[in-house]
Amino acid sequence: MNTEVCDEIHEECGVFGIYDLDRHDVASTIYYGLFALQHRGQESCGIAVSDTYGPKGKVQSYKGMGLANEVFTQENLEKMKGDIGVGHVRYSTAGASTIENAQPLVLNYVKGTLALAHNGNLINANELRHDLEYTGAIFQTTIDSEVIAYHIARERLKTGTVEEAVRRAASKMRGAYSLVVMSPRKLIGARDPYGFKPLCIGKRDNAYIITSETCALDTIGAEFVRDVLPGEVVTISQDGQISSDTSNCLPKGQEARCIFEYIYFARPDSRCDGISIYESRTRAGAFLAQDSPVEADLVVGVPESGNPAAQGYAMASGIPYGTAFIKNGYVGRTFIKPKQSSRESSVRIKLNVLKKSVEGKRIIMIDDSIVRGTTSGRIVSMLREAGAKEVHVRISSPPFLWPCYFGTDIPAREQLIAYNKTIDEICQELGADSLGYLKVERLSELVDGLPICKGCFTGEYPMEPPKEDIRGEYEK
Amino acid sequence: MNTEVCDEIHEECGVFGIYDLDRHDVASTIYYGLFALQHRGQESCGIAVSDTYGPKGKVQSYKGMGLANEVFTQENLEKMKGDIGVGHVRYSTAGASTIENAQPLVLNYVKGTLALAHNGNLINANELRHDLEYTGAIFQTTIDSEVIAYHIARERLKTGTVEEAVRRAASKMRGAYSLVVMSPRKLIGARDPYGFKPLCIGKRDNAYIITSETCALDTIGAEFVRDVLPGEVVTISQDGQISSDTSNCLPKGQEARCIFEYIYFARPDSRCDGISIYESRTRAGAFLAQDSPVEADLVVGVPESGNPAAQGYAMASGIPYGTAFIKNGYVGRTFIKPKQSSRESSVRIKLNVLKKSVEGKRIIMIDDSIVRGTTSGRIVSMLREAGAKEVHVRISSPPFLWPCYFGTDIPAREQLIAYNKTIDEICQELGADSLGYLKVERLSELVDGLPICKGCFTGEYPMEPPKEDIRGEYEK
Amino acid sequence: MNTEVCDEIHEECGVFGIYDLDRHDVASTIYYGLFALQHRGQESCGIAVSDTYGPKGKVQSYKGMGLANEVFTQENLEKMKGDIGVGHVRYSTAGASTIENAQPLVLNYVKGTLALAHNGNLINANELRHDLEYTGAIFQTTIDSEVIAYHIARERLKTGTVEEAVRRAASKMRGAYSLVVMSPRKLIGARDPYGFKPLCIGKRDNAYIITSETCALDTIGAEFVRDVLPGEVVTISQDGQISSDTSNCLPKGQEARCIFEYIYFARPDSRCDGISIYESRTRAGAFLAQDSPVEADLVVGVPESGNPAAQGYAMASGIPYGTAFIKNGYVGRTFIKPKQSSRESSVRIKLNVLKKSVEGKRIIMIDDSIVRGTTSGRIVSMLREAGAKEVHVRISSPPFLWPCYFGTDIPAREQLIAYNKTIDEICQELGADSLGYLKVERLSELVDGLPICKGCFTGEYPMEPPKEDIRGEYEK
Amino acid sequence: MNTEVCDEIHEECGVFGIYDLDRHDVASTIYYGLFALQHRGQESCGIAVSDTYGPKGKVQSYKGMGLANEVFTQENLEKMKGDIGVGHVRYSTAGASTIENAQPLVLNYVKGTLALAHNGNLINANELRHDLEYTGAIFQTTIDSEVIAYHIARERLKTGTVEEAVRRAASKMRGAYSLVVMSPRKLIGARDPYGFKPLCIGKRDNAYIITSETCALDTIGAEFVRDVLPGEVVTISQDGQISSDTSNCLPKGQEARCIFEYIYFARPDSRCDGISIYESRTRAGAFLAQDSPVEADLVVGVPESGNPAAQGYAMASGIPYGTAFIKNGYVGRTFIKPKQSSRESSVRIKLNVLKKSVEGKRIIMIDDSIVRGTTSGRIVSMLREAGAKEVHVRISSPPFLWPCYFGTDIPAREQLIAYNKTIDEICQELGADSLGYLKVERLSELVDGLPICKGCFTGEYPMEPPKEDIRGEYEK
């Protein structure tokens, strides 16, 4: 999804919780986990840890704006002593981008301390906030985690265990959430009944991990145990058992995993609900080869996200796969664009064409998605300037046409290139020789028929969408 | 109060609120106000502003660790657009020193937004927290402001105006507080019934100010209107009236102003409740001259805080006032003490003796207080090394003997030099030729008989002190 | 050359000079140029500009430790006004890594100001320094540029033009250098007679560029004019002519371009002396396929540098090319490795294996070089853990066996895996099923027979190497 | 010298050299020394150390913009291992304010390494630079130290010892300099024949110190040994002897110490050439009382620099000394002045009047000097606004009328308030009731008749001033 090449601006959040029953400190492992989940959010990150063996569940936390590598130092990691903890990387799809909104949320409540890290978007958050305010609640952030925390605190007054309070609170939430909660002596994971966002369980020696993606398990050398089920609440306690509460679950087949996790969000080396992300993407390329074939000399991907589909296309079509673009690996989060000069386009700064590869050739250029189309258009031009004879664009997802209410940051319809345009018109706007999108029908084949949400492509959502635009209202 | 010369570590907080009816931006004026109040807290500071003319009372805020001069930049001040605002400088006497605890506290509640800045210490904060938690409240900080905010939010459900909610909330608080609250279209100030901490009202053109000390009014060129009464709640609204609610006030004469504000905390150029701080201090020096006279050649103050009393002593005794110490003006908040060398004592780095002044002379050395005594002892030695024939120490406050529950950070009794020692023994420990403290009886004379709290000297408090030590319990 | 995967620590420097005859400011264009050359040096960078129309050739410069993106801000770029300038990115192969050693070197001399940026390594620098010192010179840095500057300044006393002074100074240098020099009204480029390091000329409208690689021209939208010849001195002056002095050149065929530029240093999208870097690398892969064939299911590259050769191998062998590794794109220059935990290996943090790709397969893994071998060994293990049936390692360069005196940072012989070991022994140490290196005979075929230096592989150098180790002697 | 109250912008540099024969590390002691000399320069500072026992005289150095407290950290101080070293604090009177110009200057030359720190201003620096350039020298900074270093390096070729090279180099310098030089095994101090700038020797155990002011000796607990004589070169070598070369000295009585060191520059607790700075200043006050008497109620100083003279005036006149101003101690080097508001004057932000002190009184206000007069005028107004009945201004130096070529930064004549105005006219411009300056005749009495330079008051200089304005020409 290149609005600005390589900007990767559409990620959501990543969560990572760990409980080490052997009482080793976990802060540095969380740090490595966040580092593996960094593609899910680069705005801010944070870690909170606690020790389960001390008397009071004292929480130590550190949060900051920026990448894990920028926020955490040897020094602040070493200060966080504790054998249980949660971490978070954030890209805001709702809520302002400020340090106040960084997660995990750490709080005191009637039963001691809690730390929460949350990925997803609630569609009834405003309603829940208003309800709480009418009973005297105050809100210091604009993130959903604060609403969830309030509900946990209130439910906890009426129920015997924190996991049951989490479950009851979860049952009031409508929308997408994958949640890890650290209470003084328990690590809890919860996933919304539709399973929009991934969540999985891992284990390393005597330490249990609940995290967004399996790539975080690989990075820290943990083995994959299983996915958390849509609607399930899992609890790791001192006895080392993974207890499960599935009473929030929907009947099998009614889930609605976000298909865009498979197309773009998740890291290719992750598996979500049993499906290899990399394979979903190569499969999308293969479908494009079958459904939108074209004669050509070379298949190339727009780095990095277009490469797996390009490889799938190449394998399925027999047309050789090659490299057409060199990406400047030093593009950081905060690339400075001096005003002085307007000659240097931001695409060219980040991406250069390998003339040798494309000169005189018919090129199939694969990208994962098109949002506004500006960048794709520029890349097509660059290929032509470099001597490509033909440029055939293939997109490994259907056209974006509808808003997402569950965590994906899709611009207003008017800004979407596919809005009110035929495929031919889009093709012309991009300056391509031909254009093919993945068919909507193919989406569920990418994930072996798992029930999915494809609302951003079809406008059909697994639950009634909110009437007002819920994004950003609470910004201060 | 020199524990470490010039460290001035014992300040509390300063608050500054402003509402400009002519709708000029106020952020930079708040910044200047905080700068004038910087002596009241150097750990962290913050500003929150809002515009009263916009539709929603959108609050913009910025907080950080450090001095106003370090935290605020041209850029972040310019971003904060608004004609009403509050600011805060903080030194923590309770609550951990972290960015989460920086003030003002900004929050959403049932009626919109609030921003609070608070100076003081509640003795029933834990109790109030627990009560709130038992009705489902969550706490994200360890500062009293959060407790106060919750109560305002809850009272607001039952009452028609925010100022009445503030008053009702205040009536539940026990202890010391001077508070400024910004609601979307009102600026409110509240002071506890004992009047522990100062709070005053100023005016500049059509802008009203509620702040801790008059020196902040002078700095921004505002005129002094009046002090907020102990127990009073004052409200500035769009009509430019200062409305007052005195129903929380105690009967006249039952207040208990913190005498240490006059002895040490407040800036000498401020007036608090009608009393010039500078005059209180010179008067203390004059009392010492009367009550603990000694023959000598020169009266000197330990800079900066000992100087006014030294001037008062000199005037009353007729012994010339002089300068014995040169203070290094570049000692910052974060002076680095390299481990490499232990030859350089931290006193000598900050203070040097003017040999020419003291050589061969009998010196009366005045300081505002002695806590542990280590520093005073070192300064006495330095005077002797520089050739002073005699060193007579006079302290412009009585000996510290008891804890303070209302905002002053006094170490545990065992660490106080005066604990379990006679004046003679202290004198000997300091290596002085004689030692005189201000008499407890003189304290109320410093403030023309205003009712005061002198608990740290006498152990008698205006209200029942808490049983447990309330300081630091909520630290995370 | 993966000593630490993705650390890319072996780059040298990159230079970028520009003279805009239309008098536009050039600082931001230099910044973009440095950004394109960032792979040649990440330790420090700098820009110096001057205006040719002002009276005095006043130079403004800014240098710092870190990436261009970190060192330069909107603000410092805007302050540098001037239509002529030079920039530099640095990785130190000699000379300490300090801000004092950052380039460009800016100086005053008898004829006004000069700014120099230099890539390469002189083997007679110490000798030249000593000679200068014996006539009273002082040195404030440990970089060769200072030695060159002195010689230019001295030659300038005896000759009429700065370009002739540069040429005479260059004739005294032995070793590798590509140099851009800015004098008040001229931009000069010089390349050593062996042409070790690349240098080329570009043009955009009325602006002329002299820079290390063509990728910098592409990034700023300039067209390639020609390469600077080995030994040539080119001068851009106000009339817009590129004047050339070839009197330092060697007879055709005696040059000795660094072959490692083609194998590893240069960016794949650059062309150096007419040779596409990308093509050299795919060609190396093809040669490996011919010379070290093996039956397998998949060819994979170790990212990023192994990919082009892997693609060449795949095309030549007909074995499919695939992706086996996912590289974490957020590994920065300063990745923090907390001490707390030793479970997370640094390879696994940066690289993860795509199990789906390699499971049950016979893998050919291509890398550009092996230095110590530790990393390669770990990657082989990771492939096996992920289920690879066989791992055949192919390296697109011959074994490193000898030191480089001309700018490439090769560790001491004892640390090289190939030192004193047979290929079989190395293969065993890596845990691979087979191992093949590029044959030394193939090297010149990579560059269509251009004369090259392959000293690091053969120990035969185009000029007598120095007796002492010249690296690092001047470190302070 | 208040151009902006308390800005203290006119300081020069401070130097500190130490050689510890017992081989203890000296970096942290230098740091403390610089801290004591901070009033002499706040722009940049630096430390260079070397070890005398190692084989090569390897120098480690660290420099930065800002105060010693900001530039140095525990970490960088600990890295600098060595038993000999020099340090510098800088305020630029000539040469641009950039990191390149920070001192000490560290360099390699024919005999190894040197580090130099310099205070003063050479009037023939440009001439010397040009001469050097005509023999091929290059200059990387615009500071005089580089010129001096070149001369030392060249003289060293012709002479047997580094101290003799320093002496010969010094003999070519015209103007003001106090210099410390560290060679691998010697610490050398040199002072110009006129003795413009102070320089003294101290000792602590087996460590010898050469530094600008005695206050630095006091701070590190060293004893004062003696002043370096004007024109003298002193050398500390391994045997612990202080060898002296006086062949550059002028005949007794021809020196020309800068009188402004006594009036303003030096710290009051220092002694320079046997004269207590504090006493010079109180004496100036006493002279004012005799020469410009006036009836009044209170004598006050403009803090900090006006206080000693005010005390002297009070003692001599019998009029009581008091405090009229409270200075905000948190004004840092980089006080932010937001553009938003212009209501807050910068004087009022830094200084507030103690109304209680001045109300209804006739005030004598003492300052050390007047430059442009703007600030003094504002302070007079503030006193009046606070209720002073009369304001009599007394200045403890004569009117500035001429430029200084030897290190004091005096603005162009046209900007001086005293230029082309009578005392009465100045008095009127300030809005004072009367005005008195110190008489020029009194200046030498301040220093017991030591020969002085009073050129800035009289236009008569001890040597021919340069024809061109030498300040700032080399700025880049």
Side-chain angles (χ1 to χ4, degrees), chain C residues 56 58-63 99-100 105-112 129-130 133-142 146 149-150 153-154 157 473-476, chain D residues 56 58-63 99-100 105-112 129-130 133-142 146 149-150 153-154 157 473-476:
Chain C
K56 276 189 103 171
K58 190 170 158 176
V59 175
Q60 286 168 303
S61 70
Y62 195 84
K63 305 183 227 178
I99 184 69
E100 280 85 5
L105 190 77
V106 178
L107 57 98
N108 284 289
Y109 79 126
V110 69
K111 294 293 184 180
R129 271 174 186 269
H130 291 156
E133 285 176 357
Y134 277 107
T135 57
I138 62 175
F139 288 94
Q140 298 175 50
T141 78
T142 62
E146 201 178 11
Y150 256 115
R154 299 209 164 180
L157 295 171
E473 195 198 346
Y474 273 92
E475 312 239 339
K476 11 172 196 177
Chain D
K56 277 189 105 175
K58 190 170 158 176
V59 176
Q60 286 169 303
S61 70
Y62 194 84
K63 304 183 226 179
I99 184 68
E100 280 85 4
L105 191 77
V106 178
L107 56 96
N108 284 289
Y109 79 127
V110 68
K111 295 292 182 180
R129 272 174 186 270
H130 292 156
E133 285 176 357
Y134 278 105
T135 57
I138 61 176
F139 287 95
Q140 298 176 48
T141 78
T142 62
E146 201 179 10
Y150 256 116
R154 297 206 167 183
L157 295 171
E473 195 199 347
Y474 274 91
E475 312 239 339
K476 18 171 195 178

Side-chain angles (χ1 to χ4, degrees), chain B residues 229-276:
Chain B
L229 297 174
E232 188 182 12
V233 175
V234 296
T235 307
I236 315 290
S237 22
Q238 231 152 347
D239 56 8
Q241 297 306 306
I242 306 173
S243 63
S244 162
D245 184 327
T246 57
S247 46
N248 282 356
C249 294
L250 291 175
K252 184 88 186 162
Q254 294 189 13
E255 311 99 44
R257 288 158 191 86
C258 170
I259 189 63
F260 214 59
E261 287 282 345
Y262 297 86
I263 292 171
Y264 176 79
F265 284 150
R267 228 171 78 167
D269 50 334
S270 287
R271 295 178 68 86
C272 299
D273 286 342
I275 304 296
S276 152

Side-chain angles (χ1 to χ4, degrees), chain A residues 416-476:
Chain A
L416 297 172
I417 193 171
Y419 178 67
N420 266 349
K421 281 208 193 71
T422 64
I423 299 290
D424 274 1
E425 287 166 343
I426 302 170
C427 180
Q428 213 172 334
E429 192 168 320
L430 298 182
D433 292 290
S434 75
L435 169 64
Y437 279 98
L438 187 76
K439 292 185 182 169
V440 169
E441 303 85 77
R442 291 294 202 180
L443 288 172
S444 75
E445 290 182 66
L446 299 184
V447 289
D448 285 346
L450 283 180
I452 57 173
C453 172
K454 47 195 178 186
C456 54
F457 304 122
T458 63
E460 290 155 26
Y461 304 97
M463 68 182 78
E464 185 71 17
K467 303 233 159 50
E468 36 161 359
D469 188 349
I470 58 170
R471 293 168 303 177
E473 194 197 348
Y474 273 93
E475 313 238 338
K476 18 173 192 177

Side-chain angles (χ1 to χ4, degrees), chain A residues 141-214:
Chain A
T141 78
T142 62
I143 51 175
D144 290 350
S145 308
E146 201 179 11
V147 178
I148 301 171
Y150 256 115
H151 277 276
I152 296 173
R154 298 206 168 184
E155 295 300 335
R156 190 68 181 86
L157 294 172
K158 309 179 214 156
T159 184
T161 64
V162 62
E163 56 266 39
E164 174 59 10
V166 168
R167 192 200 60 77
R168 291 190 189 184
S171 73
K172 305 210 161 134
M173 310 295 142
R174 298 190 65 236
Y177 55 87
S178 279
L179 193 63
V180 290
V181 179
M182 166 183 87
S183 86
R185 280 176 189 80
K186 283 173 186 169
L187 180 70
I188 301 162
R191 196 174 170 195
D192 69 73
Y194 294 96
F196 283 105
K197 298 293 159 195
L199 196 66
C200 67
I201 308 174
K203 187 168 190 291
R204 190 180 71 181
D205 302 335
N206 253 332
Y208 290 81
I209 295 104
I210 305 178
T211 185
S212 296
E213 292 188 33
T214 60

Side-chain angles (χ1 to χ4, degrees), chain C residues 122-135 137 139 144 147-148 150-151 154 169-174 474:
Chain C
L122 303 185
I123 61 174
N124 65 336
N126 288 358
E127 205 179 306
L128 294 170
R129 271 174 186 269
H130 291 156
D131 289 353
L132 288 163
E133 285 176 357
Y134 277 107
T135 57
F139 288 94
D144 290 349
V147 177
I148 301 172
Y150 256 115
H151 277 277
R154 299 209 164 180
S171 73
K172 305 212 161 131
M173 311 294 142
R174 298 190 64 234
Y474 273 92

